[in-house]
Amino acid sequence: MKESSHSVCVSTARAALASYSALQVEASSNYPDHNFTHKILPSSLEMASRDMETFKTHAERVTSVFESFAMVPQSIFEDPVQNMVIVRGKMIGELTDLGPWENECIIFMKISDDGRKVKLLSIWNLWTV
């Protein structure tokens, strides 16, 4: 049975989130589109958007402080008309020398027209530490 395009988008979103568990920038670099944008929300934090190069630098810094890390989807919603996947999830990790860390988030992913790449990754951290 052939996957519909919206299930391809969800599969891509799941795979992109799972790639963060490797704690290697190369692993999380497989899914972004060539025009990728990374945003941290809310916008009131005034954090600059990142293109792929600045995202890689950011990811290197973040992954360096974790011994383990996982993006764990709690629920996934999809808008197949806009190729948008929205994830309510948890980020769970072990900080080097500091112990357990957990945070809830809402992740907005705009997926490419073919459903295989992430064009936009916006994360709204809920800061539940």
Side-chain angles (χ1 to χ4, degrees):
M1 183 160 129
K2 185 178 176 185
E3 281 188 303
S4 65
S5 63
H6 66 272
S7 62
V8 171
C9 290
V10 170
S11 294
T12 297
R14 285 184 179 277
L17 293 176
S19 73
Y20 289 99
S21 298
L23 290 177
Q24 297 175 356
V25 175
E26 300 80 32
S28 59
S29 297
N30 291 328
Y31 296 95
D33 180 77
H34 65 281
N35 288 322
F36 174 79
T37 302
H38 176 252
K39 293 183 179 183
I40 299 294
L41 300 171
S43 56
S44 61
L45 293 174
E46 297 181 357
M47 296 183 80
S49 295
R50 298 179 179 99
D51 62 13
M52 192 60 214
E53 289 308 309
T54 54
F55 174 74
K56 285 180 182 179
T57 301
H58 166 74
E60 286 171 358
R61 290 179 185 143
V62 170
T63 58
S64 72
V65 301
F66 283 96
E67 290 179 19
S68 64
F69 183 83
M71 299 281 268
V72 182
Q74 303 296 297
S75 53
I76 297 177
F77 305 93
E78 180 179 19
D79 179 345
V81 173
Q82 296 187 52
N83 283 5
M84 183 71 74
V85 177
I86 302 168
V87 179
R88 182 183 63 84
K90 289 187 177 185
M91 294 182 253
I92 301 171
E94 189 77 24
L95 290 163
T96 304
D97 299 326
L98 293 174
W101 176 87
E102 188 171 316
N103 189 26
E104 292 184 62
C105 60
I106 305 294
I107 302 166
F108 303 88
M109 295 176 140
K110 175 73 174 164
I111 308 295
S112 61
D113 290 339
D114 68 0
R116 307 269 178 215
K117 296 286 183 180
V118 178
K119 295 174 76 170
L120 171 67
L121 175 66
S122 296
I123 300 176
W124 189 303
N125 289 298
L126 303 176
W127 308 111
T128 59
V129 182

